[in-house]
Amino acid sequence: CCFLLNSTMAQNKSVGIFQNNTDIGNPKNAGSAFYNSSDQSYSVKGSGYNIWFARDEFHYLYNEIKGDFILTANFKFEGKGTEAHRKTGWMLRASTDEDSRHISATLHGDGLTVMQWRDFKGAEMKDPEDEIFAKGSGYEIIQIERSGRIIFMRAAHAGKPLETIGSYEMVNLPDEILAGLFVCSHNPEITEEAKIWNVRI
């Protein structure tokens, strides 16, 4: 009981500029987040079967934000990893429900860079042909912007200018949403880690 209580308290405390730090969807292995003040970086660990179908499992570091905004950061997976489709990036979410509406600017372990979304609570994620894929691969800098109901995704390799990946109109996201960093291992048995720095909101 003490272990479970300490794990819950550790997941709910603020980390760096983020006020909330928790697992979504009850993954088998608990995730975590650590802020290194010396270089202003975040080490985020997450498990989970996937962020797909009608429900998600991942670790989430987020704030509640209203109105329009731009979120930018550098992302890098730690280690070789187990699953090619482990995921990290920025996510905008209506709630912490496992089947919540959301849209994410996602970097996969194999370098695939894509914007994905779920339009309605409990709905299936969009099929691959509906997603917005980057022309390149292995981007380090990921940016997501909300302007009204339009969500824009941009990405860049280190030292290069941002490229527009695409945009999508999310008509069902509320004005106040959850916005932050995520990691999903794409395998419920393991935990993956990403280092994230130059985080700007």
Side-chain angles (χ1 to χ4, degrees), residues 54 93-102 118-124 172:
R93 200 168 182 90
S95 75
T96 56
D97 295 342
E98 64 178 15
D99 60 352
S100 172
R101 295 163 284 169
H102 83 264
R118 179 184 294 119
D119 283 308
F120 303 98
K121 180 178 172 63
E124 294 277 327
N172 296 305

Side-chain angles (χ1 to χ4, degrees), residues 3 25 33 39 58 74 95 97 103 109 113 117 123 133 154-155 172 200:
F3 173 77
D39 63 0
F58 63 97
N74 294 57
S95 75
D97 295 342
I103 186 166
T113 309
W117 58 87
F133 292 86
R154 303 177 186 92
N172 296 305
R200 299 291 182 266

Side-chain angles (χ1 to χ4, degrees), residues 182-193:
F182 71 91
V183 172
C184 172
S185 65
H186 198 71
N187 183 329
E189 303 298 326
I190 64 172
T191 300
E192 296 281 10
E193 181 177 0

